Amino acid sequence: MDITLINLIKQYNDTDKPVLNDISIKIPEGGTYSIVGPSGSGKSTLLNLIGTLDFPNSGEVKLGSIVTANASSKELEEIRNRKIGFVFQTHMLLPQLTVLENILLPVLPRGKVHQEGALERAKALLNEVGLSNKIDSFPGKMSIGECQRVAVVRSLINEPDLLLADEPTGSLDRESATKLTDLLLKLQSQYNFTLITVTHSLELANQMGVTYNLVDGKITQN
Ligand SMILES: Nc1ncnc2c1ncn2[C@@H]1O[C@H](COP(=O)(O)OP(=O)(O)O)[C@@H](O)[C@H]1O
Ligand SMILES: [Mg+2]
């Protein structure tokens, strides 16, 4: 699923200048990308537009051949559930559910065949992130770094084509941040999804294949 942004303009209110001001890029599938830029430069805004969580004032976001602004809400739900994984700065695991139950939540809307493979996929992914022994643990009893690794597993349980990570290491200490970055890259090369990471960590950004700079509503490639 290639991502194509065409003349994107995003402005939250008429009086402010546009957060994104005529952005056009093509992001071929299967690579690793970072988006860097100062706080407030519109990184999350851009990620939300790609993730169909929000829409531009003008211009197009195309996921494969689908123009997100023209898709029905049912189509968008399916795209978000099946094609895109999301990881945020905080893990957003539900405290009353175990690790396994949290991971399986995105599988609930899916058909039976897909659900049947989900337990095996969950176990395999937990093994990849080194947390097989935490499968029945509750998030409150785990470190933030471990919870963030579970959030990564949850984001991949439906085998997305695209993983969007908004400041995924922003709440982590240096050691956990390095570990999470290594994991994201390992999983990307194994499963071959497109990885787009928003970050203000240059260390993280530099490990991605392509780095985009977002400044004053414009994007440039490093
Ligand atoms: N829902 C919103 N309503 C109004 N303004 C917003 C909204 N979301 C973000 N903004 C504004 O848009 C700008 C870019 O925000 P954001 O995309 O969160 O930047 P970044 O992620 O790079 O820190 C900021 O000035 C912010 O205040
Ligand atoms: Mg942000």
Side-chain angles (χ1 to χ4, degrees):
M1 186 170 76
D2 292 344
I3 301 163
T4 316
L5 311 180
I6 307 168
N7 300 123
L8 268 197
I9 296 186
K10 179 66 181 181
Q11 185 172 23
Y12 285 107
N13 34 61
D14 297 342
T15 48
D16 295 345
K17 59 177 191 181
V19 176
L20 305 176
N21 194 357
D22 199 13
I23 285 180
S24 298
I25 48 173
K26 183 156 184 153
I27 304 176
E29 69 181 354
T32 58
Y33 303 85
S34 57
I35 302 170
V36 298
S39 185
S41 61
K43 304 181 298 296
S44 295
T45 298
L46 181 59
L47 216 63
N48 290 343
L49 295 181
I50 296 172
T52 81
L53 301 173
D54 198 2
F55 302 93
N57 296 70
S58 66
E60 284 183 358
V61 175
K62 284 175 76 182
L63 302 177
S65 58
I66 297 170
V67 177
T68 62
N70 298 343
S72 68
S73 53
K74 188 168 161 47
E75 275 177 300
L76 291 175
E77 263 169 49
E78 280 198 9
I79 289 171
R80 283 193 292 262
N81 181 240
R82 300 183 184 192
K83 303 278 189 195
I84 308 178
F86 294 91
V87 176
F88 300 96
Q89 183 169 346
T90 53
H91 55 75
M92 306 201 185
L93 300 178
L94 297 179
Q96 68 274 38
L97 300 184
T98 65
V99 162
L100 180 64
E101 289 164 346
N102 268 288
I103 292 168
L104 292 179
L105 274 185
V107 180
L108 293 180
R110 302 293 301 272
K112 203 166 175 183
V113 172
H114 187 83
Q115 285 176 2
E116 278 167 4
L119 180 60
E120 288 314 309
R121 281 201 307 283
K123 286 180 178 167
L125 283 163
L126 275 175
N127 189 39
E128 299 287 352
V129 306
L131 291 175
S132 295
N133 59 334
K134 301 284 185 184
I135 191 162
D136 295 318
S137 299
F138 287 90
K141 297 252 153 74
M142 295 161 56
S143 74
I144 305 281
E146 289 172 336
C147 287
Q148 193 64 327
R149 276 144 63 198
V150 172
V152 169
V153 170
R154 180 187 52 188
S155 76
L156 296 177
I157 192 67
N158 280 336
E159 304 170 289
D161 297 338
L162 169 64
L163 180 62
L164 299 176
D166 194 347
E167 305 272 9
T169 63
S171 304
L172 305 180
D173 60 46
R174 200 185 156 82
E175 192 188 330
S176 309
T178 304
K179 196 164 182 177
L180 192 86
T181 305
D182 292 349
L183 266 175
L184 287 172
L185 288 167
K186 182 182 91 167
L187 291 166
Q188 190 280 333
S189 70
Q190 215 165 319
Y191 294 94
N192 220 26
F193 49 82
T194 308
L195 173 62
I196 305 180
T197 315
V198 159
T199 180
H200 53 236
S201 156
L202 287 183
E203 197 177 334
L204 200 175
N206 288 338
Q207 293 187 63
M208 303 296 146
V210 175
T211 299
Y212 293 108
N213 259 301
L214 190 56
V215 179
D216 290 333
K218 302 285 184 191
I219 207 162
T220 53
Q221 191 176 322
N222 270 12

